[in-house]
Amino acid sequence: MSEVILIRRETFSASHRLHNAALSDEENRKIFGKCNSPNGHGHNYTLEVSVKGQVDPVTGMVINLADLKEFIRTAVLDRLDHRCIDLDVPEFAGVVSTTENVAIFIWNSLKPLVPQLHEVKIFETDKNIVVFRGGQ
């Protein structure tokens, strides 16, 4: 059998503010700069979800793409798209909403639904990209 990596790409838009309540306003401004603006800022994120596994000899698939698309929609897009991550996503209470932490959130949201999850990659911008592989 051959092992294959399959990638599904989606996009979502969300706002956030990089801020740690445990730090002073001055420390937050020094660490996070313009991303600490009290009104926040937004991104048009590109998400790539990779699954890895053997090709099923009956279906010819690692995972049914329709199922993967639905898992991503319900576990990720419905929760993040057109939301303020800091205010609308309870898991970010007390967590700085960096793209690193967003990638971990997405992994933790998808892993119970997609056991063959291999990698979460988020393009915050064309130049800023985060990859998370479940702490491997």
Side-chain angles (χ1 to χ4, degrees):
M1 277 293 181
S2 298
E3 193 168 65
V4 173
I5 295 174
L6 180 138
I7 302 168
R8 173 73 186 187
R9 182 177 290 161
E10 296 285 352
T11 59
F12 65 95
S13 299
S15 66
H16 68 141
R17 177 187 187 206
L18 297 183
H19 185 83
N20 185 332
L23 301 175
S24 70
D25 287 343
E26 183 180 329
E27 288 172 306
N28 273 293
R29 280 191 299 273
K30 183 177 179 185
I31 294 168
F32 301 117
K34 66 181 181 179
C35 296
N36 182 246
S37 169
N39 295 322
H41 64 282
H43 296 283
N44 295 314
Y45 295 92
T46 298
L47 168 66
E48 290 183 356
V49 174
S50 301
V51 297
K52 182 178 181 180
Q54 300 295 319
V55 175
D56 183 289
V58 175
T59 65
M61 298 184 270
V62 173
I63 188 172
N64 186 311
L65 274 172
D67 293 341
L68 181 59
K69 179 181 176 183
E70 182 65 13
F71 295 148
I72 294 169
R73 185 188 65 76
T74 58
V76 179
L77 301 180
D78 286 353
R79 301 194 63 212
L80 296 178
D81 193 32
H82 288 84
R83 304 273 190 253
C84 177
I85 295 170
D86 306 306
L87 301 176
D88 298 330
V89 184
E91 290 85 349
F92 281 89
V95 175
V96 181
S97 56
T98 60
T99 304
E100 294 91 321
N101 282 327
V102 173
I104 293 167
F105 165 79
I106 292 171
W107 177 278
N108 291 336
S109 299
L110 285 173
K111 187 63 175 173
L113 303 170
V114 185
Q116 59 275 63
L117 185 61
H118 172 65
E119 178 179 279
V120 168
K121 182 185 288 189
I122 303 175
F123 296 75
E124 180 186 68
T125 68
D126 290 340
K127 297 180 181 181
N128 300 332
I129 304 161
V130 171
V131 175
F132 186 67
R133 294 186 181 130
Q136 298 174 13

